[in-house]
Amino acid sequence: MSTAQSDIRIAALYRFTPFEDLEALRDALSAACRAAGVKGTLLLAPEGINGTIAGTDNAIEAILAQIRSLPGCADLEVKFARAAEMPFHRMKVRIKREIVTMGEPDIDPARDVGDYVAPEDWNALISDPDTILIDTRNDYEVAAGTFENAIDPKTPSFRDFPAWFRENRKALLKGRDNPRVAMFCTGGIRCEKATALLKAEGLEDVFHLKGGILKYLETVDPADSRWRGECFVFDERVTVTHGLERGSHVLCRACRMPVSEADRTSPFYVEGIRCPACHDTRTEAQRRGYAERQRQSELAAARGETHVGAELPGHD
């Protein structure tokens, strides 16, 4: 059931800072979020915290206060948005090896990263023809939207980014010893870690968009924007536009990929069952399962209930 636009507050956050006793941190945050009715995902690792959560204003402020009490998190920066409906189905607090997986154990963003660039200064940097602009996100995210003239690595996961850079370094840098490189991602975490990689690879003139695309779309006037398309987000909003308004994409329930308005006119698209990205990659048995799930979802919607992701008694 929908709630008023002002009722749901979404908070996206991350912080690279050393953590110990991750199990205790996980248990405390999980209990606090569940008690406050907050939903979403928080990832904890020895290198820090990352996640997006949603709830009422008071609930979000309470959880953020708890996170800011953690070591190194006092000045945690958070990107906020609003939603008409809760964009998550449950609350998950998980322990990982990395809060964003790159697979480079020697890279430490808390030790050495590139220079932050504020959203209001980003256009000037990327408008310079000498700036090499790289999108550090996954291929399906880039397909929904990106900055004009940005290089798309076409990587299926962030773990593939280091190999892509090393394999394409010569062509990217065009023989320059220390070119200016600017990188960006959704909320800032991946491009921050990517700048640490490039610094470790010997580059010095490296920059990343502070607060990521989300902060840019929130801050920069659409008339002045260099952004083209929509920004994929990892929740039920699917994509957002300027002002962090909900975009036009929907989620394929079969493969979890974003589906554009154009894709939804394709004969390969059937709501809840398949899309152009996965129409030939699933078995008939899987399709029957998706069809039944879609039928149950439609029946639940007709009753004013939520079916997808609903928490059942005894199910965590």
Side-chain angles (χ1 to χ4, degrees):
M1 184 177 294
S2 297
T3 55
Q5 175 94 6
S6 60
D7 284 348
I8 302 298
R9 190 182 193 188
I10 303 167
L13 59 99
Y14 77 92
R15 183 73 171 181
F16 287 108
T17 183
F19 279 159
E20 297 178 356
D21 199 357
L22 296 174
E23 289 81 6
L25 292 179
R26 176 198 59 199
D27 293 347
L29 282 172
S30 181
C33 288
R34 293 179 186 279
V38 167
K39 295 183 180 181
T41 299
L42 290 173
L43 303 179
L44 299 169
E47 66 180 4
I49 185 170
N50 175 32
T52 305
I53 54 176
T56 65
D57 286 337
N58 289 341
I60 292 298
E61 285 302 320
I63 300 305
L64 292 180
Q66 184 163 335
I67 294 174
R68 288 189 171 110
S69 72
L70 301 178
C73 293
D75 57 350
L76 177 79
E77 291 191 11
V78 184
K79 292 168 287 296
F80 294 108
R82 292 283 179 180
E85 297 179 342
M86 172 59 74
F88 301 105
H89 298 303
R90 56 180 64 86
M91 185 67 221
K92 296 175 286 187
V93 184
R94 294 178 173 172
I95 295 174
K96 299 283 190 177
R97 292 182 180 178
E98 303 174 74
I99 55 174
V100 58
T101 303
M102 177 182 271
E104 296 281 330
D106 295 331
I107 299 299
D108 184 4
R111 184 179 64 237
D112 191 22
V113 294
D115 296 320
Y116 288 111
V117 179
E120 54 268 27
D121 299 322
W122 185 247
N123 285 355
L125 174 65
I126 67 175
S127 296
D128 188 327
D130 289 332
T131 298
I132 299 170
L133 180 62
I134 302 175
D135 194 330
T136 65
R137 300 172 302 150
N138 302 333
D139 48 10
Y140 60 88
E141 298 174 77
V142 180
T146 190
F147 283 105
E148 60 183 32
N149 300 321
I151 295 169
D152 176 9
K154 295 182 170 60
T155 47
S157 110
F158 188 55
R159 181 183 285 274
D160 300 311
F161 184 83
W164 172 83
F165 174 76
R166 289 165 181 149
E167 291 169 5
N168 294 277
R169 176 173 180 153
K170 185 175 180 180
L172 285 169
L173 306 189
K174 299 178 181 178
R176 291 176 285 176
D177 292 332
N178 191 34
R180 185 187 307 113
V181 180
M183 294 185 285
F184 62 92
C185 63
T186 308
I189 185 171
R190 284 176 284 183
C191 55
E192 182 165 340
K193 202 164 190 178
T195 64
L197 172 73
L198 266 61
K199 296 270 283 191
E201 293 284 326
L203 278 70
E204 291 296 330
D205 207 9
V206 184
F207 302 86
H208 52 118
L209 177 58
K210 187 174 185 180
I213 300 162
L214 295 180
K215 196 64 177 178
Y216 182 92
L217 293 178
E218 179 185 11
T219 305
V220 175
D221 190 297
D224 300 322
S225 178
R226 297 300 180 93
W227 178 260
R228 301 294 179 262
E230 299 177 358
C231 179
F232 179 81
V233 289
F234 294 88
D235 59 56
E236 289 295 319
R237 293 173 296 169
V238 187
T239 57
V240 297
T241 61
H242 282 88
L244 303 184
E245 295 293 326
R246 189 167 186 162
S248 62
H249 288 66
V250 300
L251 202 65
C252 174
R253 298 294 173 185
C255 67
R256 309 294 295 175
M257 291 292 104
V259 185
S260 69
E261 290 179 312
D263 286 338
R264 298 200 292 278
T265 66
S266 166
F268 296 126
Y269 178 73
V270 178
E271 185 179 1
I273 301 173
R274 69 187 190 197
C275 75
C278 71
H279 71 94
D280 58 353
T281 65
R282 299 295 191 272
T283 66
E284 285 304 313
Q286 287 176 313
R287 297 289 181 213
R288 288 193 295 270
Y290 300 151
E292 177 59 21
R293 181 179 60 188
Q294 180 64 19
R295 188 180 77 86
Q296 293 296 332
S297 179
E298 291 172 356
L299 289 173
R303 297 191 300 267
E305 301 172 354
T306 299
H307 174 71
V308 177
E311 293 191 3
L312 302 176
H315 178 73
D316 189 359

